[in-house]
Amino acid sequence: MVVSRRGTGHFCYNCTVSCRIALYVHVPFCRRKCAYCDFVSYGGAESLIPAYVSALKREMAHYGGTGYQVGTVYFGGGTPSLLPVKALGELLEAIRQHFAVLADAEVSLEANPGTVDEAYLAAIRALGVNRLSLGMQSMDDRELAMLGRIHKAGDALAAFRMARNAGFDNINVDLIYGLPGQSVEGWLKSLKGVLALGTEHLSLYALSLEEGTPLWRAVNEGRLPPPDPDVAATQYELAEDILDAAGFRHYEISNWAKPGYECRHNLTYWHNLPYLGIGAGAHSFLNGHRYASTPRLNEYIEACLGGGIPPRVMDETIRPELGLAETVILALRLGEGVSHADIMRRFGTDILAHYGDVIGEMTRAGLLETTAGNIRLTRRGRLLSNEVCWRFLPDDVSEASMSLQG
Ligand code: SF4
């Protein structure tokens, strides 16, 4: 429960026994590492899955008795679809045992199309997973090979159809644009190919070349052309138009949903509300603290199986000024933007008085606009969102200090 002390400019996340949280479970196993990936994930370490699942259950047990109400559960990775059905069933049972899971909870699982069949999907649907997120990334086999994905476009199509047959009526598809050498036409082919499937939700991410990854090296060594930001901007804007015409709601910078299919779990992050991350490398935001567990698998497993909590590699108290800035920055990602009333209710702060200079400057630059009670990014502002958002951070804080799960 979020409690504000109205009028003091102070806030606290005063979790009581009835605190509502989003629960994230990190599954850091992949068949092999993709060429662009710098997430906490390990290729070829699947033999550790049984010990890791036991460790997850032990970590969850620490929260037994806290009374946390769980409105959403999200299995992210990594590749959660590498979890055997039995292991996933045990984890869901542990979650229900240690947390008060709401009857209408959204339960999402990320799946790699190269790892699932219809029997698996039907089994996890029967266990209570009610939202599937398919990491398709592209519908072009050459692009998938460049990305180092283990699947081909045909596998992705088959996985989507199998998910439907298995009873999933809430499916997200991830796609990446801005790839080296990817034309606007090539991108539209992938996007339209996915649209033809009738998905309820799309997450479209611009490729981020992460230093040290094989894809970054290929670009740096001249084996691949560098991504072209102008092409990426065109790809994004065309996607906005096409998805708008197809009846999708652009509810977050990178996310589109048919009405009623917005991801409730990720909305918790964007509303800067409490979440608990379980697993190696998982982040949490509880009681005004943000913290992250060790990403090292063995360290995580040993700590949990030894009866302790996993070592933390980051633990930060979010002071009120930073909490306010983060809430504004995260809400600016949303289509509806930041609500004056919400900021006043949670922080006792008039956003226009507090950030008047920045809002004025960004509005004159055509990057922000004010609608009934809300401030939001313009279409151009969405393309330059990082430049806009970081202007709201306190002077002594860098953008690197903000992180999101998943
Ligand atoms: S499947 Fe996802 S988490 Fe695993 S290596 Fe590829 S991008 Fe990274």
Side-chain angles (χ1 to χ4, degrees), residues 195-214:
L195 269 184
L197 293 171
T199 188
E200 286 76 29
H201 191 287
L202 274 153
S203 298
L204 309 182
Y205 299 110
L207 177 71
S208 174
L209 267 187
E210 300 298 339
E211 192 171 341
T213 58

Side-chain angles (χ1 to χ4, degrees), residues 136 139 173 175 189-199 202:
M136 288 195 183
M139 297 296 279
V173 171
L175 287 176
K189 204 170 157 208
S190 279
L191 180 63
K192 288 176 181 173
V194 169
L195 269 184
L197 293 171
T199 188
L202 274 153

Side-chain angles (χ1 to χ4, degrees), residues 30 32-34 36-37 39 41 77-79 112 149:
C30 293
R32 67 162 191 250
K33 200 79 178 160
C34 297
Y36 59 99
C37 178
F39 305 138
S41 69
T79 306
N112 186 323
R149 300 290 303 187

Side-chain angles (χ1 to χ4, degrees), residues 157-225:
L157 290 173
F160 190 96
R161 293 193 183 108
M162 289 187 291
R164 281 283 192 250
N165 291 341
F168 281 98
D169 57 7
N170 187 358
I171 302 178
N172 168 59
V173 171
D174 284 349
L175 287 176
I176 305 179
Y177 63 96
L179 301 179
Q182 186 187 44
S183 65
V184 169
E185 294 70 31
W187 160 245
L188 293 183
K189 204 170 157 208
S190 279
L191 180 63
K192 288 176 181 173
V194 169
L195 269 184
L197 293 171
T199 188
E200 286 76 29
H201 191 287
L202 274 153
S203 298
L204 309 182
Y205 299 110
L207 177 71
S208 174
L209 267 187
E210 300 298 339
E211 192 171 341
T213 58
L215 198 63
W216 174 86
R217 279 198 297 278
V219 169
N220 270 275
E221 292 165 6
R223 288 180 279 119
L224 285 173

Side-chain angles (χ1 to χ4, degrees), residues 238-352:
L238 286 172
E240 283 190 303
D241 294 340
I242 289 168
L243 294 175
D244 184 51
F248 283 81
R249 193 172 156 249
H250 191 181
Y251 74 104
E252 195 271 343
I253 285 180
S254 304
N255 287 278
W256 286 257
K258 290 277 176 66
Y261 289 93
E262 295 82 3
C263 178
R264 284 160 47 197
H265 184 86
N266 287 340
L267 280 168
T268 302
Y269 300 149
W270 297 318
H271 284 133
N272 208 20
L273 293 172
Y275 53 88
L276 170 64
I278 299 285
H283 289 233
S284 300
F285 178 40
L286 286 174
N287 303 313
H289 282 263
R290 178 172 293 108
Y291 57 90
S293 297
T294 176
R296 296 171 191 273
L297 270 182
N298 285 330
E299 202 171 54
Y300 174 81
I301 291 169
E302 275 170 30
C304 293
L305 295 187
I309 56 167
R312 292 181 181 173
V313 291
M314 182 266 283
D315 193 342
E316 185 187 9
T317 301
I318 306 300
R319 58 193 160 90
E321 191 187 4
L322 181 57
L324 169 63
E326 289 183 349
T327 303
V328 170
I329 289 169
L330 289 165
L332 280 175
R333 297 187 62 91
L334 296 168
E336 69 209 24
V338 190
S339 152
H340 295 201
D342 190 45
I343 294 297
M344 178 57 80
R345 181 179 57 79
R346 291 175 63 178
F347 297 93
T349 297
D350 179 339
I351 186 174
L352 288 176

